[in-house]
Amino acid sequence: MAAQPDFLWIKNDMSPDGRVFRVSRQAAQHSTILRALIEDFEGIDLWKKEQCIPIKIHVSDQCLSDVLQWAENTKTAPEKGENADNNKQVELAAEDMHFFREAITTSEKLYELLMLTDYLGIVPLYNMACQVVVNMIMGKSAEQIRRMLGISKDFTPEQEEAIRAETAWAYDEEQPPLDR
Amino acid sequence: MALLLGANIPAEIVELIVQQLDPISLISLSQTSRSWRAFINPNHHDLVQRLLALELTPEHGGLVPVFDEVSQTLSPPCESDEWRTARYACCGCMKLLTHMMFDNPAILRRPYRKPPPGSVEAQKAAVTDWERLEPAARWRRIQERAAREEEERKRWRKVVNRRHEPPPNPPDHHPFALVPRPRDPDPEAEAEAMRHLVGTGRHKRRCIECLYRNGNMSSRGEFLHDPAGGTPVPVFKSRHRKFPYFLERLYPGLISPPDRLPRYWRALRITSDAIHYTLYTVRCPSCGTWQEYAALRQFLCHYYMGRFGATDGPVLCDHCHLETHRDPDRLAKELYSRVRECLRDYRETMEHYIRLGWRLLCRDFYSHRSLTASPWLGKHRHVADRILEGLQIAASFDLSISHFDRALDDLRLRFERYRDWLDTELDPATRSELMTGWFRPWVEDYELIDSAYRWASEQIAWLDSHPRAVLDYVLEKDPHRVQSRKE
C-alpha cells in the first residue's frame, strides 16, 4: 500500500475565487476538527486535492492563510482533547506575540481569527485571541471601551440613571484634610 | 466597526471573553451599550466584587497594609503618609471611603482587612466569577460557591485557632504587660491559612455612617450623652496613632513642633519618643458630618473626665457653633483658650521634668536612703554644694523658684557643671548605677527639655498676640473633617 501523502487541502468556500490551501499533517494536528477528520477518514481520499475540506464561514483568505501558517510554524505538539478552558488566563509566548502584532493588525482580523479558530477548533490560538481581546478591554473605562470597539451609547435615560448610581463608588467627594 | 456583539460572533465566544475579565472591566463593559448591558446583566454581587477589586488597586484604594497578628502591629503604621490615600470599600453605601470612615474592626479584623497580593481573595479580584445564567440560577450558583468557600475557610480557621490556646504559664515580667501570643510551631501552615482567610468578609464591611443609620451602634460604637439635653453623639473608636505632643493630636499642623522634642517619661517604658493616642470619630448632631473627636469643643473635658462637662449649649462642632451663634469672637476666644491651655500644660510638663531631675539630684547627694546609711553620693557632697550654691531647696528637695522662666539660664549653667563632673570625675561604676530610671532621660535630654520649655513659652506668647489664629486655622483647614461636609 502506498504511503499517505503528508498534505490535505482546505478550500475557503465563502471567498469569491474559492482559494485552496495546503495543510501539512503536522499542522492539521493543531485543529481538533482536522485531527478528527484525519483519524476518521484515514485511507480514504482525504489527501486528494479534489477532496478539499470546505470552510463555510466568512473569513478572508489572508486570515485563513495566516492561521494555517501559524499552525505550520508552531512545533509544539497539541495536547489531545484540549478544550477551551473558561477563566483561564493565557500567557502569550514571544512568537505568538509576534504573530498577533504582524498578522492581526485590525479589529476585523481579530474577529475573523476568533471565528476561524473557533470553527476549526484550534484551541491554543483561540484562547490567545480571546486573551488579546480581554487585554484590550481590561483596565479601561466604559467610554474608552466604547471608543475602542466602536460601540455607540444607546441607553435610555432610566438606564443612564441606574449606571450613574452604580458609579457612586467614586469616592467621597474630597480628600480628608491634613494627615488624618 | 463593532467587535464582538452585533457582529454575528457566537455568544459562546463572547461569554468566554467576558469570563476572563476582571470585576472592574466587567462592569465597565456592561456600561457601554444596551446590548452589552443585556448580555452581562450585572447584579449586586458583581457590583460588590467590582468595589472590592477597586479597593485593591493603588490608584483607587491606595496602600494594602500588612497586619502582623503576633505583634498586633500595622505596617506601614497609621501615621505614615501612605495612609492618607488609603481607601476602603463600604458595601453598604457602595463607596470607597477614607479609612477614617471605618472603625477599627472594619480595618483590622482578619476578614475585613485588605488581602495582600498572592492571597486567595486578591486572586479572586483578578478574574470575575460572572456566568451567563438566568438571575435566579446565578444567585443559586453564587450561594453554592459561598457555602463551599465557607467550608474551606472553616478548615483553615482551625489551623489558626490552634494558636489561640492560652500560654501554659502567666507572664512573669509584669502583671500589666500584654501577653504576646506564642508563635505557631508551623509558620508555613499558618501563612497558608492566612492566605485563605484574610479579607474574605470584606463584603460585610460597613462604614460608620452605615452602622449608625442601620442602628448597629451597640456592638461597635457608643452614644455620648449631651448634658445640655442635645442629641446623643455617636462615637466610634478609630486608629491608634503616635503624635509628638498633645496639641498635634488636637489641631494637627497648627503649631509645628521643633525638630526634636524631649522624650516622654512613662511609668512602664520609662521613655518614649511620641505619645500614642486613640483617635475617635464622632458625628456632629447638627450637621451630621463625621469628624475627629477633637472637633467638639467639649472634647478636652470628656477626654479627661469620661463625660462632657457643663456646657452653655448643645454639643456642636466648631462650624455648627459658628453658624448657630453667629459669634466668631466668642468661638475664637474659646478655641484660643483651649490651645493655650494645651501649650501651658506642655510647658508645665517640661517644668516638672526639670524640677523632678533636680530633686532626684539633690536626693542622691543629701538624702539618707535608710536610717543607718549615709547619702549615696554623700562623699561627693562638696560637688553638690558647688553646683547648687545659692539655690533655695525645700526640705522635700524641691527647688524653691518663683519665676521659673528667669531661672532657666542659671539652671542650665549649673546642669552643665554637674554633667562635666558626671562625665569626667565620677567613677564609671557609680555613674552607670546613677543613670537609671527617670534620671537618665533627665541627664540625656536636659537641653531638649529646656528648649521645649522655651519653645512652648514662645508659642504661648505668639498665641497671645494672635488670638484669632486658631479660629482662622479651623475655618481654613477644617482639620477634623473626615468626610465632605453635608450641605
Side-chain angles (χ1 to χ4, degrees), chain A residues 87 111 149 154 166 173, chain B residues 1 7 19 34 37 50 484:
Chain A
N87 285 352
Y111 162 67
L149 301 182
D154 54 359
E166 284 173 9
E173 299 82 49
Chain B
M1 195 278 311
Q19 282 179 332
R34 285 159 78 166
R37 194 163 181 78
R50 189 264 303 254
S484 53

Side-chain angles (χ1 to χ4, degrees), chain B residues 183-202:
Chain B
R183 281 195 181 274
D184 193 286
D186 187 358
E188 278 178 21
E190 175 153 343
E192 186 60 17
M194 286 299 170
R195 209 175 70 77
H196 283 81
L197 292 175
V198 172
T200 50
R202 290 181 299 147

Side-chain angles (χ1 to χ4, degrees), chain B residues 260-421:
Chain B
R260 282 193 67 197
L261 284 173
R263 291 170 287 179
Y264 288 91
W265 300 3
R266 317 296 294 173
L268 292 178
R269 292 170 59 192
I270 304 297
T271 57
S272 71
D273 290 334
I275 305 186
H276 288 79
Y277 290 107
T278 301
L279 299 180
Y280 292 86
T281 318
V282 293
R283 190 178 193 271
C284 171
S286 175
C287 63
T289 306
W290 288 96
Q291 300 174 60
E292 210 287 314
Y293 199 0
L296 305 182
R297 284 159 302 104
Q298 295 85 349
F299 163 82
L300 267 184
C301 182
H302 184 270
Y303 198 80
Y304 290 128
M305 296 163 60
R307 60 182 169 79
F308 288 130
T311 52
D312 54 352
V315 173
L316 295 171
C317 70
D318 295 334
H319 288 259
C320 291
H321 180 277
L322 195 59
E323 202 156 295
T324 307
H325 298 290
R326 302 207 173 277
D327 189 354
D329 290 337
R330 178 175 150 193
L331 182 59
K333 195 175 171 188
E334 283 188 38
L335 295 175
Y336 156 79
S337 312
R338 189 179 177 192
V339 172
R340 197 178 192 285
E341 191 183 341
C342 287
L343 284 168
R344 211 193 56 221
D345 278 353
Y346 184 74
R347 190 175 64 176
E348 278 178 9
T349 306
M350 295 302 113
E351 182 179 334
H352 168 70
Y353 285 179
I354 294 175
R355 284 180 182 274
L356 179 62
W358 282 108
R359 197 169 76 204
L360 294 173
L361 183 147
C362 295
R363 190 199 59 186
D364 289 339
F365 282 107
Y366 299 117
S367 169
H368 293 258
R369 287 195 161 185
S370 68
L371 288 175
T372 54
S374 57
W376 188 29
L377 296 178
K379 62 179 176 180
H380 302 292
R381 192 174 282 178
H382 62 283
V383 178
D385 292 341
R386 184 159 48 88
I387 291 169
L388 300 173
E389 185 184 2
L391 278 181
Q392 286 190 352
I393 299 169
S396 58
F397 299 117
D398 279 329
L399 295 182
S400 302
I401 298 173
S402 51
H403 297 288
F404 196 76
D405 288 26
R406 292 180 210 156
L408 272 180
D409 290 337
D410 177 47
L411 287 176
R412 191 155 174 169
L413 279 174
R414 292 172 191 269
F415 171 78
E416 282 166 7
R417 244 179 275 157
Y418 170 72
R419 198 169 52 190
D420 281 348
W421 171 78

Side-chain angles (χ1 to χ4, degrees), chain A residues 28-29 31-39 78-82:
Chain A
Q29 294 296 318
S31 159
T32 49
I33 301 297
L34 298 181
R35 196 164 63 215
L37 277 174
I38 292 169
E39 283 169 6
E79 287 175 23
K80 290 276 164 83
E82 195 173 11

Side-chain angles (χ1 to χ4, degrees), chain B residues 140-169:
Chain B
R140 264 199 308 280
R141 190 68 72 88
I142 291 168
Q143 283 164 357
E144 284 165 9
R145 191 183 303 122
R148 271 200 312 275
E149 288 172 354
E150 180 54 27
E151 283 302 311
E152 173 88 2
R153 282 197 295 273
K154 269 184 194 165
R155 284 204 299 278
W156 288 113
R157 271 199 289 271
K158 279 181 190 165
V159 174
V160 176
N161 289 344
R162 238 181 273 140
R163 195 180 52 139
H164 288 202
E165 290 162 6
N169 298 310

